[in-house]
């Protein structure tokens, strides 16, 4: 059976469903429609649609349906059981598609659905308290355990002993919640130049991190950074690109600031975005520790926002490559971000900020410190707009990969599931996103240019040796050195001022 494309709308009395069935001849007698409390079922072979609404409907003489031959769709009107009752998230049609074994009873007090024939139990959590979080005081009787856990979310690195592996080949997993393996080797063979790992399907997590750090150090180009720094600071006529990027205003910043309700920012989805949501995987996720998923969301938001700021809201043919290179969970399959035995840093948010600072100074077209800080503020505004804004950005990023003949593999191992998890009521949490926004902004204020360090090999040509014939020959000496952005900028200023004088 095929799931048809559909659109939803509402007013105070009715819910309107528009089901598109183009290029099919049918008899009205073949159509079956059933309304059972909050469940609507439509059947017209080969099409089948089942929607589970957040509120109850009623089937009476006011319910109507008609076929519009010009639009190639069936328009259905269903009365609401309670007049003037608002049905939330009707523009997120994928949330209404009933899933296999999903219980019909949505009452908030039924926390655990018992399934005697299954060894797995799914927990159902009501989002009503989450949506009204701003009006609920911590510690009150209405404050749910989920909301309290989200409010007190701990971003410190968990102290865990590395697992004892017996079969190294079988133990290597990556992608969404480390659920995938053996996807990258064929992609790399076909020319996947986003990948930075020597053997992506067999490297352990700590080895991925080591390769990533080495590549970041090698890739950093002092002259490239110095050129962008001098261009933006001194050469006003030649810095239109960087100046435009620095002056760009994130639409989500404006949206949040103009919103009447800061806890419920109105984010609308286009019909194309709704169709993309309908194509997402429809499955439940049993996540032991969701923090790595939030880290991935944070990195993806930064990567997409940096590319959008670089081209003032537009994307290019190279956007998928740039976003993939910036995101360590994609280019290096690194969802861990710090090695198991590393005890120097304790806060994961700071580690993410420093990692993305380094990568943004390695790969994009523009590599400018102030532009990176502005992009992190763009991420802050997206997070403050809530999970609908996060989903909108992730869908836009996913579409860039989905259309690519090689990079689509990252949709299969990460982006499809990530978007689906953000969409689900029992997945991504608005309160955690708000907590993450404040935590990242707080850490951003602590980051300085001296914190952005690259390990480089500096060649010294001043050394000289005497050969067997007694002649002096020049020889390069290699010295291992640590460079931060302050060092590079001071050298750049000196060189530029000397050239002008």
């Amino acid at each position: 059976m095929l799931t048809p494309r559909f659109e939803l709308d509402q007013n105070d009395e009715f819910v309107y469903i528009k089901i598109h069935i183009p290029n099919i001849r049918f008899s009205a007698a073949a159509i079956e429609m059933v309304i059972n409390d909050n469940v609507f079922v439509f059947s017209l072979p080969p099409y089948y649609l089942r929607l589970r609404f957040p509120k109850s409907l009623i089937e009476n003489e006011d319910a109507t349906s008609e076929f519009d031959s010009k639009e190639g769709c069936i328009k259905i009107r269903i009365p609401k059981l309670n007049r003037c009752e608002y049905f939330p998230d009707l523009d997120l049609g994928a949330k209404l598609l009933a899933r296999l074994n999903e219980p019909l009873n949505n009452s908030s007090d039924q926390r655990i659905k018992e399934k005697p024939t299954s060894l797995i139990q799914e927990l159902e959590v009501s989002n009503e308290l989450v949506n009204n979080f701003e009006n609920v005081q911590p510690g009150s009787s209405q404050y749910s355990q989920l909301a309290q856990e989200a409010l007190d979310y701990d971003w410190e690195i968990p102290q865990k002993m590395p697992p004892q592996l017996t079969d190294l080949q079988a133990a290597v997993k990556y992608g969404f919640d480390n659920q995938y393996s053996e996807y990258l080797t064929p992609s790399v063979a076909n020319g996947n130049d986003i990948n930075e790992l020597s053997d992506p399907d067999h490297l352990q997590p700590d080895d991925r991190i080591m390769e990533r750090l080495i590549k970041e150090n090698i890739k950093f180009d002092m002259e490239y950074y110095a050129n962008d720094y001098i261009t933006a600071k001194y050469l006003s006529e030649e810095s239109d690109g960087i100046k435009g990027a620095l002056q760009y205003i994130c639409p989500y910043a404006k949206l949040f600031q103009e919103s009447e309700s800061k806890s419920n920012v109105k984010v609308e989805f286009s019909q194309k975005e709704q169709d993309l949501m309908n194509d997402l995987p429809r499955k439940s996720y049993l996540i032991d520790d969701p923090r790595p998923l939030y880290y991935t969301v944070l990195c993806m938001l930064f990567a997409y926002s940096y590319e959008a700021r670089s081209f003032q809201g537009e994307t290019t043919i190279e956007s998928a490559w740039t976003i993939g290179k910036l995101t360590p969970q994609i280019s290096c399959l690194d969802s861990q971000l710090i090695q198991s035995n590393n005890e120097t840093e304790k806060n994961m948010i700071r580690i993410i900020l420093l990692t993305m600072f380094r990568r943004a100074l390695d790969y994009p077209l523009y590599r400018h410190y102030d532009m990176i800080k502005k992009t992190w503020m763009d991420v802050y505004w997206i997070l403050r707009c809530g999970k609908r804004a996060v989903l909108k950005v992730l869908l836009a990023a996913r579409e860039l990969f989905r259309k690519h003949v090689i990079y689509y593999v990252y949709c299969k191992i990460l982006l499809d599931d990530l978007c689906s998890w953000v969409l689900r009521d029992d997945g991504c949490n608005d309160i955690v996103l708000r907590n993450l926004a404040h935590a990242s902004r707080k850490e951003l204020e602590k980051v300085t240019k001296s914190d952005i360090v690259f390990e480089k090999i500096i060649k010294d040509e001043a050394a000289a040796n005497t050969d067997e014939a007694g002649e002096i020959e020049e020889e390069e000496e290699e010295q291992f050195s640590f460079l931060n952005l302050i060092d590079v900028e001071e050298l750049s200023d000196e060189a530029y001022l000397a050239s002008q004088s």
Side-chain angles (χ1 to χ4, degrees), residues 50-223:
R50 181 169 56 192
L51 301 175
R52 189 183 310 280
F53 290 92
K55 308 291 183 178
S56 298
L57 304 169
I58 186 171
E59 185 176 10
N60 57 27
E61 63 276 3
D62 293 328
T64 62
S65 64
E66 62 175 346
F67 176 67
D68 188 327
S69 58
K70 293 183 179 180
E71 297 187 35
C73 66
I74 296 178
K75 297 180 178 179
I76 303 168
R77 185 184 72 179
I78 307 176
K80 297 179 178 179
L81 178 63
N82 301 314
R83 184 184 175 92
C84 298
E85 191 172 40
Y86 176 71
F87 284 34
D89 292 340
L90 288 191
D91 56 342
L92 303 181
K95 290 179 64 173
L96 307 181
L97 294 171
R99 296 170 175 84
L100 183 65
N101 296 329
E102 188 171 16
L104 292 177
N105 187 356
N106 286 332
S107 60
S108 60
D109 58 337
Q110 189 176 359
R111 304 282 294 184
I112 301 178
K113 306 301 178 181
E114 296 183 0
K115 299 178 182 178
T117 61
S118 174
L119 297 178
I120 298 176
Q121 292 183 335
E122 293 189 12
L123 302 182
E124 182 181 342
V125 180
S126 172
N127 267 17
E128 182 178 355
L129 292 178
V130 174
N131 295 332
N132 297 321
F133 173 73
E134 295 290 342
N135 298 323
V136 180
Q137 296 298 322
S140 68
S141 59
Q142 297 179 349
Y143 209 94
S144 69
Q145 181 181 359
L146 175 66
Q148 185 64 55
E149 289 176 357
L151 186 66
D152 297 333
Y153 226 73
D154 182 11
W155 301 110
E156 288 190 355
I157 302 171
Q159 302 295 306
K160 295 181 180 179
M161 294 295 295
Q164 298 296 324
L165 302 178
T166 56
D167 185 354
L168 296 181
Q169 294 289 91
V172 174
K173 298 287 186 178
Y174 47 72
F176 182 86
D177 198 34
N178 289 324
Q179 294 180 1
Y180 296 91
S181 62
E182 303 298 334
Y183 270 79
L184 266 295
T185 299
S187 177
V188 172
N190 289 327
N192 181 353
D193 54 352
I194 287 180
N195 172 70
E196 294 188 353
L197 301 178
S198 58
D199 190 4
D201 280 320
H202 301 120
L203 283 175
Q204 294 296 324
D206 281 357
D207 296 328
R208 298 176 207 160
I209 296 173
M210 182 58 67
E211 284 203 16
R212 172 176 63 80
L213 294 174
I214 293 173
K215 295 287 178 61
E216 288 172 0
N217 288 327
I218 294 174
K219 183 63 178 175
F220 178 67
D221 188 332
M222 291 184 290
E223 294 182 358

Side-chain angles (χ1 to χ4, degrees), residues 265-454:
V265 179
K266 187 176 182 181
V267 178
E268 298 180 349
F269 293 91
S270 66
Q271 184 58 47
K272 179 181 179 181
E273 290 169 329
Q274 295 182 41
D275 293 340
L276 292 176
M277 284 186 276
N278 292 337
D279 292 334
L280 294 174
R282 301 168 193 165
K283 57 183 180 181
S284 300
Y285 298 100
L286 300 176
I287 309 297
D288 292 332
D289 184 3
R291 281 177 294 189
L293 299 182
Y294 286 105
Y295 304 154
T296 302
V297 168
L298 195 60
C299 294
M300 283 295 305
L301 294 181
F302 176 86
Y304 183 86
S305 298
Y306 198 89
E307 180 70 0
R309 175 171 285 277
S310 297
F311 300 99
Q312 301 180 50
E314 302 294 330
T315 56
T316 70
I317 192 173
E318 297 292 337
S319 291
W321 181 90
T322 305
I323 294 171
K325 281 291 188 182
L326 284 175
T327 309
Q329 292 86 351
I330 292 179
S331 59
C332 301
L333 305 178
D334 179 15
S335 59
Q336 187 172 294
L337 298 174
I338 188 170
Q339 291 178 312
S340 303
N341 59 354
N342 191 317
E343 298 181 356
T344 57
E345 289 286 354
K346 299 298 183 182
N347 190 295
M348 274 302 302
I349 304 301
R350 178 177 172 83
I351 291 172
I352 292 171
L353 262 64
L354 295 178
T355 298
M356 300 309 290
F357 262 100
R358 284 165 55 91
R359 300 192 71 79
L361 295 172
D362 283 345
Y363 297 100
L365 176 63
Y366 301 124
R367 305 173 190 178
H368 197 273
Y369 177 81
D370 290 339
M371 184 173 164
I372 298 173
K373 297 204 73 171
K374 287 180 178 290
T375 302
W376 274 118
M377 286 306 302
D378 296 342
V379 174
Y380 170 80
W381 295 119
I382 295 172
L383 292 170
R384 289 306 312 273
C385 287
K387 65 184 294 180
R388 291 171 67 92
V390 170
L391 178 60
K392 193 177 182 74
V393 173
L394 292 180
L395 286 172
R398 169 182 176 265
E399 186 67 0
L400 296 172
F401 289 85
R402 189 181 69 86
K403 292 180 178 179
H404 200 279
V405 67
I406 296 175
Y407 302 156
Y408 76 92
V409 66
Y410 295 110
C411 290
K412 299 299 181 182
I413 67 173
L414 177 63
L415 297 177
D416 287 355
D417 288 317
L418 189 65
C419 290
S420 180
W421 176 75
V422 172
L423 173 65
R424 289 182 60 90
D425 283 336
D426 56 354
C428 185
N429 187 291
D430 262 317
I431 304 174
V432 177
L433 292 178
R434 189 178 298 113
N435 178 289
L436 189 59
H438 294 306
S440 60
R441 185 171 184 175
K442 180 180 178 180
E443 290 300 325
L444 180 64
E445 294 173 352
K446 300 177 182 178
V447 174
T448 64
K449 291 181 180 180
S450 60
D451 295 323
I452 316 301
V453 179
F454 293 90

